[in-house]
Amino acid sequence: MSNTTTSDDVSLRNGHTGAEWQQLNSQERVYLMSDFCKFSLPYTDPGNIEAWRRTNGHTLYTVHPAEHIGADGYIHPNWLYGKIGRLLLIWLSTQVVLRKTDENRTVTLPRSLNRLMRDLGVERASGKPNSRDYARFRTALTAAAGLHITVTTYDGDDAAGSVRGQNLIVADEYEITWSAQTIGQDSTITLNKNTYERMQNSTPLDAAAVLLLTSTSPFTRGRSRGQDLDLYCWLNARNYALTHSPTRQTSPITWQQLAQQFGNTYTNLHDFVKRFKISLENVRMVWPDLNVEVINGTGIVLHQSKRSVKPKMKLAI
């Protein structure tokens, strides 16, 4: 994912100066709202289901899709999934971090799909979007804007305890227009106030690592899966938390817990563990200082690691 920006692009960035973008680019940082680091969205379109559920410890994430009326006149779910869905959430989070002192919660989309794809690090051999990209990105943009999640945390048991819940809504309103060649110049997403404030404190990520983990290359052993990026984001968020932990490490996290969190689509746990270990090695390639202990037959233990991104510099004013 690249933050390289020309002077012509600056007007599309909600008023940010070229100096701000150059500084972000020099840091090679992008961001993801920390809540989205804690569980996995679908890797493929789940189809006609009402909700997508994943767990992280005692916390349940229930994802509800946007909906649309199809050409057949029926209501269909519009799921945010796959690589593009994840990169769009990173793009939105990064826009918010760049405008951290701005109270305007409306994000204006780039005026062409080609420009948005370049921002996301999605490239085509021809250098231009193909015919399927227009439909895919139109669907993904509306899915991202219409995404809402219920987060429920349970402490205790049926006899005694507590339950806490919150609703995460990405956008209060949005307007996305489209033609065969461009995104409408007035296409906007007005983020929910709570979501906007949470995105202001997003988890920093290494832009080069995100690009490599979402590309198709021998470096990542063939076609990339969303699990590689999910694992990288989750480990960044957990590693930050470990800096405030007296033990500087976690208790063992079992394979079953990891399967429930990262959206196990395999028929048995053994296959998930095998693929998870490959994802972990891919993440280690882009984060050499990562300190994760694999306990065969049990799961993993996270130890505090040197951060995968450079210390943050202040944005130019």
Side-chain angles (χ1 to χ4, degrees):
M1 179 178 293
S2 173
N3 281 311
T4 303
T5 308
T6 67
S7 59
D8 292 335
D9 294 325
V10 172
S11 62
L12 303 176
R13 306 302 187 187
N14 301 297
H16 288 286
T17 67
E20 288 177 328
W21 278 93
Q22 291 169 8
Q23 190 171 63
L24 179 69
N25 185 52
S26 69
Q27 294 173 29
E28 298 181 342
R29 297 162 72 96
V30 289
Y31 298 84
L32 180 62
M33 190 172 89
S34 297
D35 300 87
F36 291 128
C37 296
K38 297 176 182 178
F39 71 101
S40 293
L41 290 169
Y43 299 126
T44 59
D45 189 343
N48 192 24
I49 61 175
E50 293 185 357
W52 171 267
R53 295 178 177 86
R54 288 296 172 258
T55 62
N56 184 340
H58 295 288
T59 300
L60 170 66
Y61 295 87
T62 305
V63 183
H64 305 278
E67 295 180 320
H68 71 280
I69 300 177
D72 56 7
Y74 291 96
I75 298 175
H76 299 274
N78 185 6
W79 287 100
L80 188 67
Y81 66 90
K83 176 176 76 173
I84 291 175
R86 288 160 168 78
L87 292 178
L88 281 174
L89 292 178
I90 290 175
W91 184 83
L92 280 171
S93 301
T94 303
Q95 307 310 301
V96 172
V97 172
L98 280 175
R99 55 194 293 175
K100 196 163 187 177
T101 59
D102 193 340
E103 296 182 358
N104 180 9
R105 294 180 281 112
T106 300
V107 176
T108 301
L109 297 173
R111 295 181 183 177
S112 74
L113 178 58
N114 193 24
R115 188 171 308 230
L116 178 60
M117 289 175 65
R118 290 204 313 267
D119 281 356
L120 298 181
V122 178
E123 298 183 0
R124 297 288 179 255
S126 64
K128 298 184 296 184
N130 59 41
S131 59
R132 292 189 300 174
D133 287 327
Y134 290 99
R136 175 67 193 279
F137 271 84
R138 180 176 65 250
T139 301
L141 282 167
T142 55
L147 185 68
H148 57 289
I149 302 164
T150 303
V151 185
T152 313
T153 302
Y154 300 88
D155 291 320
D157 53 29
D158 293 338
S162 66
V163 58
R164 302 186 307 276
Q166 60 180 310
N167 292 313
L168 296 179
I169 301 171
V170 171
D172 284 338
E173 58 184 59
Y174 54 93
E175 182 175 355
I176 301 171
T177 59
W178 208 272
S179 71
Q181 299 298 325
T182 63
I183 302 173
Q185 63 179 0
D186 296 323
S187 291
T188 58
I189 299 175
T190 301
L191 297 166
N192 174 267
K193 185 175 185 296
N194 179 50
T195 299
Y196 186 81
E197 291 173 350
R198 297 170 90 92
M199 283 186 173
Q200 289 177 325
N201 297 291
S202 291
T203 297
L205 308 170
D206 181 354
V210 171
L211 176 63
L212 287 168
L213 292 173
T214 56
S215 67
T216 302
S217 71
F219 183 84
T220 51
R221 306 185 190 184
R223 188 172 180 82
S224 172
R225 288 179 58 91
Q227 183 173 290
D228 295 0
L229 179 59
D230 288 346
L231 182 57
Y232 172 73
C233 296
W234 177 67
L235 288 169
N236 269 275
R238 290 300 304 264
N239 188 60
Y240 177 80
L242 285 175
T243 62
H244 304 284
S245 167
T247 62
R248 298 295 192 268
Q249 69 178 55
T250 66
S251 57
I253 305 169
T254 69
W255 295 124
Q256 185 62 45
Q257 289 173 319
L258 292 167
Q260 291 172 345
Q261 177 179 348
F262 288 97
N264 185 7
T265 56
Y266 297 92
T267 56
N268 61 69
L269 187 60
H270 173 78
D271 290 337
F272 168 79
V273 172
K274 181 178 179 180
R275 183 60 184 86
F276 184 92
K277 289 180 177 179
I278 293 175
S279 290
L280 182 58
E281 288 308 308
N282 287 341
V283 173
R284 279 180 167 143
M285 289 179 185
V286 300
W287 188 355
D289 294 314
L290 178 64
N291 188 0
V292 177
E293 177 185 359
V294 176
I295 305 174
N296 290 327
T298 301
I300 63 174
V301 173
L302 307 182
H303 299 269
Q304 184 182 354
S305 307
K306 184 178 179 181
R307 290 186 295 179
S308 73
V309 293
K310 302 174 184 177
K312 184 177 180 181
M313 298 171 60
K314 292 184 179 179
L315 292 176
I317 299 176

